[in-house]
Amino acid sequence: MTTNKTNEHKLLEFSKLLKDKELLNTVKNLGFKKATIVQTLSIPPTLKGKDLIVQASTGSGKTLAFGLPLIEIMNQVAKKEKVNYTFGVVITPTRELAIQIADVLSSLKEDLKPVLIIGGMPYGKQESGLKNDPRIVVGTPGRMLDFLKKKTLDVRDCEVFVLDEADEMFSMGLSQDVESIIKEIPKHTQGLFVSATVSPRVVMLGEKYLKEPIQITASTFEEKPPQIEHLYTNVGGQVTDKPLAVCSILDTVKPESAIIFCNRKSETELIEVYLRRKNYDALKINSDLNQNQRTKIMSKIRAGDLKYLIATDIAARGIDIPKIDLVINVGVPDAFDSYVHRTGRTGRAGREGKAITIVGALDFLSFKTLRNKLDVDFEEFKLPQKVISE
């Protein structure tokens, strides 16, 4: 496997990376001129038909890194033959991420409306989308596999497939479904694995299904490292201790925006109740909400119309939300990678951010383990002596 590091490259303008004039004009109209690191590294080999395993953080421009060459390759083929089949497939771990990717891809080509194959939406609408324009399909593993089994989705002529947030597929227990989908895709199809972290499991999956993949690590060496202040605060073991601590932290820090991460769905419900009672502008997203509800909430937080989002890891994985000032962990994350993903939501694009972990009575051992694994200096965040009470 070939490895490509960012410190050997300079950022390029899109005019140096893309040949399709119509696509270049669209990129210009969208306000993009110079490619990001991951785009600079990934677009050239993708256009040459190479298989890739790409590691780049959330918010680094990963979607355009695979979306732009996917559109250009499809446009090139369309000059020779009519593309009225499923040309490209993008597999994502969550519905919200699928919607986000579909929106980006549709913005790159005026007549393109990617078909969303995700749970929480009517089968009929998705089947109609495949009949009307099956060229690009974006979906989650469960629903996509369901469509393949029913022969509603045909990937026999697929030319490019993308596995987005590949590492998350393993942590969410989706790897078996993903492999079942990949097995339905022709072996000659170009494959791109993209992820914020690339674990040995992702590399092994790539070696199994990709053809001599190039591994690209797109670290932001030319940018300032994330300016994140890592803090913790100790609380007791009562049911109300953590919700009250969240209220106290928000009162003290007064962030313009925040994501409050919970390990369990029940915690998101409890935290929302406490924050709404205190008139905080906060809403939860978890698996109990239907897709329309989740989409509306995500749209509000992105637009700045919602200050505080309460979420589980599964509900918020892979979602790119700009300008998050504060991340609160209600308890210690269940996995080391989860902490990295969560706190990476703040301190981006040169902005400063805070990440505060609430350590309860049963969290001390897992927090000690987390501190030993991370190259991070945690400082104690002392809650006011008189914490907010009912």
Side-chain angles (χ1 to χ4, degrees), residues 223-227 347-353:
E223 301 170 6
K224 291 182 179 179
Q227 303 296 305
R348 288 162 54 179
R351 293 164 56 90
E352 294 182 356

Side-chain angles (χ1 to χ4, degrees), residues 239-267:
V239 174
T240 59
D241 287 341
K242 287 181 179 179
L244 292 175
V246 172
C247 294
S248 182
I249 289 169
L250 293 178
D251 261 0
T252 305
V253 178
K254 294 180 172 58
E256 285 299 314
S257 58
I259 301 181
I260 301 151
F261 280 107
C262 302
N263 293 338
R264 290 172 291 279
K265 182 177 65 177
S266 58
E267 286 180 328

Side-chain angles (χ1 to χ4, degrees), residues 159-323:
E159 292 293 331
V160 181
F161 83 91
V162 180
L163 185 60
D164 195 29
E165 295 299 342
D167 230 2
E168 299 293 354
M169 300 293 188
F170 286 99
S171 61
M172 294 172 65
L174 299 172
S175 59
Q176 188 173 345
D177 284 352
V178 168
E179 287 204 56
S180 297
I181 295 168
I182 295 176
K183 287 175 182 177
E184 296 293 321
I185 296 172
K187 291 183 179 180
H188 70 267
T189 302
Q190 183 179 4
L192 310 172
F193 286 7
V194 186
S195 190
T197 57
V198 173
S199 68
R201 293 179 300 182
V202 173
V203 175
M204 288 177 64
L205 190 68
E207 290 175 343
K208 186 175 181 180
Y209 293 106
L210 300 179
K211 303 172 293 296
E212 300 180 356
I214 299 171
Q215 187 168 350
I216 292 173
T217 303
S219 58
T220 53
F221 76 101
E222 289 188 355
E223 301 170 6
K224 291 182 179 179
Q227 303 296 305
I228 304 172
E229 186 180 6
H230 295 268
L231 306 163
Y232 74 96
T233 189
N234 293 317
V235 298
Q238 299 298 314
V239 174
T240 59
D241 287 341
K242 287 181 179 179
L244 292 175
V246 172
C247 294
S248 182
I249 289 169
L250 293 178
D251 261 0
T252 305
V253 178
K254 294 180 172 58
E256 285 299 314
S257 58
I259 301 181
I260 301 151
F261 280 107
C262 302
N263 293 338
R264 290 172 291 279
K265 182 177 65 177
S266 58
E267 286 180 328
T268 65
E269 296 163 353
L270 182 63
I271 298 295
E272 184 188 54
V273 168
Y274 269 76
L275 294 186
R276 300 294 287 182
R277 280 180 185 172
K278 302 291 184 182
N279 295 316
Y280 287 100
D281 183 23
L283 290 172
K284 70 176 184 297
I285 57 168
N286 61 33
S287 57
D288 282 349
L289 301 182
N290 65 42
Q291 191 55 51
N292 286 335
Q293 290 172 317
R294 290 164 69 164
T295 300
K296 286 179 181 177
I297 292 171
M298 293 308 301
S299 297
K300 289 185 68 165
I301 189 78
R302 284 199 195 97
D305 296 329
L306 176 68
K307 290 189 71 172
Y308 307 139
L309 178 69
I310 309 159
T312 57
D313 284 311
I314 291 176
R317 274 186 173 125
I319 300 299
D320 184 14
I321 305 170
K323 299 181 181 179

